[in-house]
Amino acid sequence: MENLKGKKVVIIGGSAGIGLGTAKSIALKEANVIIASSNQERIDKALQEIKGQASGQVIDVTDELQVKSFFEKIGTFDHLIFTAGENIMLSNVEDTALETAKNYFNIRYWGAFTAVKYAVPFINSTGSIVLTSGIASNRPNKGWALGASICAAMEGFSRAMAMELAPIRVNIVSPGVVKTELWGGMSESERNEMYTNIGNALPVKRVGEAEDIAKTFVYLLEQEYGTGQTLIIDGGTSLV
């Protein structure tokens, strides 16, 4: 297994949630972590929580020129992780404006697409890319049309990139419900009720924490033989 000590790891979406949890875990392995997100205040707060060598930059992943410039400034690095995303939106198709549906792909899909495009020239050939989808791709519920669509699109993109970018390894993590800021569109009472109801229905009897998913990202950076894989970490959601 690859030792992450001294490796340069870029995490887009690394200022909160799963991205921040992953940044903390990787920094503890003595890697050089660079986090990027759209909000300087969140970056500053995140850097105070990360114990190790870390820096941060503001980037709008929907702005192609910003993304291009970001990677040109960073230069050569080893691993790219993409966890960026807006608040999760649940909506039936008949209640969803087409423009809203199109915009929902801007960060999660097109942001990842753009990041990969401009990162690749700078990633070492022994390095890797790890993207993010979600369990909605293969276990959607009512109101999950957009979530399921974008997760499935990300998984297809990941497999295609594993072939196109070889020998750079490309994998994707598919979490179940995790306690993060992505549920910020709901009230606290609604969130807690959802966490309780979903957690009680799972074999593990709880929903996930950012640290649970972070372990999967670290594993995919350290192992050197897997590529084109979707790792599902969902507390057993797929089973029930």
Side-chain angles (χ1 to χ4, degrees):
M1 279 196 170
E2 177 179 319
N3 188 334
L4 291 178
K5 183 175 181 180
K7 299 294 182 179
K8 196 172 179 181
V9 182
V10 176
I11 306 177
I12 297 181
S15 67
I18 291 172
L20 176 55
T22 303
K24 291 178 179 178
S25 296
I26 292 172
L28 290 175
K29 289 179 170 286
E30 300 184 65
N32 175 10
V33 178
I34 301 169
I35 63 172
S37 82
S38 60
N39 186 288
Q40 184 66 58
E41 185 177 349
R42 284 204 306 267
I43 290 174
D44 293 340
K45 182 180 177 181
L47 291 175
Q48 293 176 358
E49 297 181 37
I50 299 172
K51 308 301 181 184
Q53 188 175 355
S55 59
Q57 293 189 41
V58 171
I59 181 176
D60 177 358
V61 296
T62 67
D63 186 323
E64 184 176 4
L65 292 180
Q66 276 194 40
V67 175
K68 183 175 184 290
S69 176
F70 170 76
F71 285 108
E72 288 174 344
K73 290 177 182 177
I74 288 175
T76 302
F77 66 104
D78 297 288
H79 302 287
L80 171 66
I81 293 173
F82 190 96
T83 63
E86 67 295 285
N87 285 348
I88 292 173
M89 182 180 73
L90 303 181
S91 176
N92 293 336
V93 170
E94 63 180 355
D95 301 321
T96 306
L98 186 57
E99 194 62 28
T100 299
K102 290 179 178 179
N103 289 339
Y104 195 65
F105 276 69
N106 285 343
I107 293 176
R108 292 173 181 268
Y109 182 83
W110 292 115
F113 185 101
T114 306
V116 170
K117 175 179 178 178
Y118 290 107
V120 166
F122 300 101
I123 298 178
N124 289 322
S125 61
T126 57
S128 71
I129 297 171
V130 188
L131 305 174
T132 310
S133 66
I135 197 60
S137 63
N138 61 347
R139 194 67 189 270
N141 287 314
K142 181 180 178 180
W144 278 94
L146 289 178
S149 298
I150 200 166
C151 289
M154 287 300 300
E155 290 170 15
F157 177 60
S158 176
R159 289 190 291 271
M161 290 302 95
M163 297 300 296
E164 182 174 321
L165 306 180
I168 294 172
R169 294 178 294 104
V170 184
N171 295 290
I172 191 164
V173 176
S174 177
V177 174
V178 181
K179 292 181 180 180
T180 72
E181 294 84 345
L182 291 180
W183 300 101
M186 303 171 68
S187 68
E188 183 177 1
S189 61
E190 289 174 329
R191 286 198 306 273
N192 289 335
E193 182 179 4
M194 181 188 70
Y195 294 152
T196 298
N197 291 338
I198 292 177
N200 287 340
L202 295 177
V204 297
K205 298 303 178 186
R206 67 177 178 88
V207 297
E209 302 283 352
E211 293 73 17
D212 295 317
I213 315 303
K215 294 175 183 178
T216 310
F217 281 94
V218 172
Y219 164 73
L220 288 172
L221 298 193
E222 291 186 326
Q223 63 80 30
E224 299 176 322
Y225 196 54
T227 191
Q229 301 303 304
T230 300
L231 265 63
I232 298 174
I233 310 297
D234 66 354
T237 303
S238 302
L239 301 175
V240 298

